[in-house]
Amino acid sequence: NRAMSLSPDGRRLVFEILGSGGADLWVKQLPSGPLSRLTFSANGAFRPRWMPDGVNVLYIAATEQGGQQSVWRQRADGSSAPEEVWRVPGRRVIEASISNDGVWLIYRVAASGADSDTYAVRLGRDTVPVPVFTGPFNETGSTLSPDGRWLAYASPESGRPEVYVRPFPNIADGRWQVSTAGGIAARWAHSGRELFYEGAGGDLMVVPITPGTTFDPGAARRLLPAGSGFVGSNTVPYYDLTPDDQRLIMVRQTSLAQTPGGGQLVV
């Protein structure tokens, strides 16, 4: 079990299960309902994000052997065929998220070597994307605040990954460093009053955000220590928050003998 996303009503969880043929997406009815496979991609499907409508799931996939990775969506109940949302000719999309109003798609494409670039596009409106991060650093995990005003992301520009926040869409108007000892995999609280991330040592951290016309973060504090048995994230969060922001859902590592696949979902 890896990247995951909780539905807006908190009743369904979509996540990756890594099998012998690669990753595919499955949907779990919470708390104790059935587990259903959503994707059957020959080349895998990964990094799911629930869309704001609570009906569709956004994810990355390549449809044919050797095909180019692009952004797809599919109804979470499996009642529709996969639909391609956005393709970048000649480049692999490796990450995507969407704004709470369903307008902005923020996506990252692979460049040469280990580099990548991030762009934004208004679905159904734009044909040309807006560059977000196209410089020398490999920014990851870009995600918009619930009100769409702030973009959180991780960048190694200081020598190690740290979590930063910029205004959106005018990202040149400001920049705030949120983490101080390393950070990746940022996720906003639904209220917009907290920003979560994973520290360099594996701690789960939280930063209070004071609402206002400017971005006003407080001091980061440790919410869960490293070594709690939970699987750490890799650029995108391997955890999510319930709609009331009072509970976390994560993956706890267990032995293969205890749990086939080696992971256990824990609230």
Side-chain angles (χ1 to χ4, degrees):
N1 315 91
R2 303 187 298 181
M4 63 174 65
S5 180
L6 196 60
S7 63
D9 62 7
R11 296 178 180 178
R12 290 167 294 170
L13 184 76
V14 60
F15 57 95
E16 301 173 18
I17 291 183
L18 186 61
S20 58
D24 264 299
L25 305 184
W26 294 66
V27 176
K28 170 69 176 175
Q29 303 285 334
L30 299 177
S32 56
L35 174 65
S36 304
R37 185 172 177 176
L38 177 62
T39 62
F40 296 83
S41 174
N43 299 293
F46 56 98
R47 292 184 173 170
R49 289 286 186 112
W50 216 280
M51 297 193 73
D53 59 13
V55 174
N56 291 281
V57 172
L58 192 80
Y59 60 94
I60 309 298
T63 54
E64 62 275 344
Q65 190 66 34
Q68 185 179 317
Q69 287 176 187
S70 55
V71 186
W72 293 78
R73 69 180 166 208
Q74 187 172 354
R75 290 181 66 96
D77 62 5
S79 63
S80 67
E83 176 187 359
E84 190 174 50
V85 172
W86 189 256
R87 171 181 289 264
V88 182
R91 303 186 75 178
R92 290 186 303 114
V93 180
I94 54 179
E95 188 181 320
S97 64
I98 195 163
S99 59
N100 267 17
D101 59 9
V103 173
W104 284 101
L105 177 73
I106 313 293
Y107 66 93
R108 183 163 65 100
V109 293
S112 59
D115 293 335
S116 63
D117 296 322
T118 301
Y119 296 86
V121 64
R122 292 177 296 178
L123 293 176
R125 303 185 192 183
D126 299 336
T127 56
V128 178
V130 177
V132 178
F133 302 118
T134 58
F137 303 109
N138 192 28
E139 291 87 358
T140 63
S142 296
T143 183
L144 283 170
S145 60
D147 61 7
R149 296 177 57 197
W150 312 107
L151 183 72
Y153 64 98
S155 172
E157 60 193 72
S158 67
R160 66 179 175 189
E162 299 280 4
V163 174
Y164 299 87
V165 170
R166 289 178 181 262
F168 185 83
N170 301 315
I171 64 165
D173 290 351
R175 173 181 164 279
W176 296 266
Q177 183 173 334
V178 172
S179 63
T180 57
I184 60 167
R187 193 180 283 280
W188 295 92
H190 297 81
S191 66
R193 293 174 178 264
E194 291 174 304
L195 181 62
F196 297 79
Y197 67 90
E198 286 187 25
D203 294 336
L204 184 65
M205 308 293 291
V206 60
V207 175
I209 309 297
T210 302
T213 55
T214 61
F215 185 71
D216 186 12
R221 68 180 177 88
R222 186 173 66 176
L223 189 64
L224 285 175
S228 299
F230 296 104
V231 176
S233 300
N234 179 12
T235 70
V236 300
Y238 288 7
Y239 65 93
D240 206 349
L241 294 148
T242 54
D244 61 4
D245 295 326
Q246 296 303 302
R247 292 185 296 166
L248 289 160
I249 186 160
M250 313 177 79
V251 177
R252 182 171 61 195
Q253 191 68 46
T254 57
S255 72
L256 289 174
Q258 289 177 296
T259 308
Q264 181 181 17
L265 292 169
V266 176
V267 178

